[in-house]
Amino acid sequence: MMSFWYRRNLELLLTRYCPEVEVAAIAHSADEAEKVIRDLDPDLIFLDVEMPHGNGFDLLKRFNQVRFGVIFVHRFDHYAIKAIKYSAIDYLLKPIDIDELVAAVQKAGAQLKSKSVNQSLNILLHNMAQPAAKLQKLSLPTTDGMIFVSINDILYCKSEGNYTSFYLENGQSPLITRQIGIYERTTSRAIVLQDTPPIYRECNRVTKYVKGRGGHVVMSDGK
């Protein structure tokens, strides 16, 4: 759970560096958080993954419809954090970095405007119910909103600097506003890596390997 000092530190950081955020309440358990959320109907909550009387994921399941943004806070970068990454919901690792806090608040605001919070949270809860090696869906942030894709529909990903192009089975190639490294381990299947630029290919989409200088593979779309 988030200790008193972590909660107090987060409140001070928000007051100083995120003036657009007004701290309406602080809850000390999942039960208290549920009551506060229903009473105040907040725009954004900071949610610890672990807390008394249920974890953060259990708390979200108590709401039929989520109308608020969520930023998770946790001490360790383990599987739960990977599932959060793939749902495009932001998270902060303790101790909280100021720049990451400011960026997370800005992203949460954009997600609220795009009205994609419910879909992202549904994907998160779905992925959390799966074994670590079988995450099924991704929420992919774009410059004008969010798209939701099945991992099985991804042919390959290509780095575009701070962005990533996703090449999908339907022929689309949306530009995603996150670096490629976040998506490197979305599944347990082996992935072929090309250094310049980085390209991750799903092995179940490779139809042929051609030997030669370095060799190359042929994907199911013929590329």
Side-chain angles (χ1 to χ4, degrees):
M1 84 183 230
M2 205 184 304
S3 69
F4 168 81
W5 293 112
Y6 272 119
R7 293 193 298 268
R8 180 57 177 159
N9 181 58
L10 176 57
E11 183 180 11
L12 291 173
L13 291 176
L14 287 169
T15 301
R16 182 169 183 178
Y17 298 102
C18 304
E20 69 273 30
V21 176
E22 177 185 352
V23 179
I26 299 176
H28 305 86
S29 68
D31 291 341
E32 185 178 346
E34 179 185 6
K35 183 179 185 307
V36 168
I37 291 170
R38 294 191 187 281
D39 288 345
L40 298 181
D41 192 21
D43 295 316
L44 175 66
I45 67 170
F46 289 82
L47 183 60
D48 205 324
V49 173
E50 297 173 354
M51 60 180 66
H53 310 300
N55 61 39
F57 306 111
D58 294 331
L59 173 62
L60 293 176
K61 290 177 183 177
R62 301 181 188 183
F63 296 88
N64 293 327
Q65 185 175 14
V66 176
R67 296 191 299 269
F68 48 83
V70 178
I71 297 176
F72 283 93
V73 183
H74 197 45
R75 187 185 299 273
F76 304 109
D77 189 356
H78 62 9
Y79 166 61
I81 296 301
K82 291 181 181 179
I84 292 168
K85 282 182 183 179
Y86 302 152
S87 68
I89 294 173
D90 253 307
Y91 75 99
L92 298 168
L93 289 177
K94 304 173 187 176
I96 295 172
D97 178 86
I98 294 172
D99 291 337
E100 292 180 357
L101 172 63
V102 173
V105 168
Q106 292 174 345
K107 289 179 182 178
Q111 196 172 48
L112 281 170
K113 290 180 181 178
S114 69
K115 303 184 184 302
S116 59
V117 172
N118 261 299
Q119 288 174 290
S120 291
L121 288 174
N122 286 338
I123 288 176
L124 168 63
L125 297 176
H126 174 81
N127 284 341
M128 284 301 300
Q130 309 300 316
K134 293 185 178 180
L135 297 180
Q136 298 297 311
K137 292 184 177 181
L138 291 176
S139 298
L140 301 176
T142 65
T143 55
D144 58 356
M146 195 85 65
I147 62 172
F148 304 91
V149 302
S150 169
I151 288 177
N152 289 331
D153 292 335
I154 300 171
L155 297 178
Y156 54 92
C157 311
K158 181 179 179 181
S159 174
E160 306 286 358
N162 289 328
Y163 298 87
T164 303
S165 289
F166 271 71
Y167 292 82
L168 307 179
E169 190 172 37
N170 62 9
Q172 296 180 348
S173 53
L175 183 66
I176 306 307
T177 57
R178 288 193 173 183
Q179 293 182 339
I180 197 170
I182 291 177
Y183 305 105
E184 180 177 358
R185 293 185 175 88
T186 54
T187 72
S188 62
R189 295 186 290 268
I191 295 176
V192 180
L193 171 65
Q194 176 179 309
D195 291 334
T196 309
I199 299 177
Y200 299 142
R201 298 180 172 91
E202 294 290 349
C203 272
N204 68 336
R205 299 299 187 179
V206 176
T207 60
K208 184 178 182 181
Y209 171 72
V210 181
K211 294 188 293 183
R213 296 181 59 184
H216 66 273
V217 297
V218 179
M219 305 299 293
S220 58
D221 64 348
K223 294 185 179 179

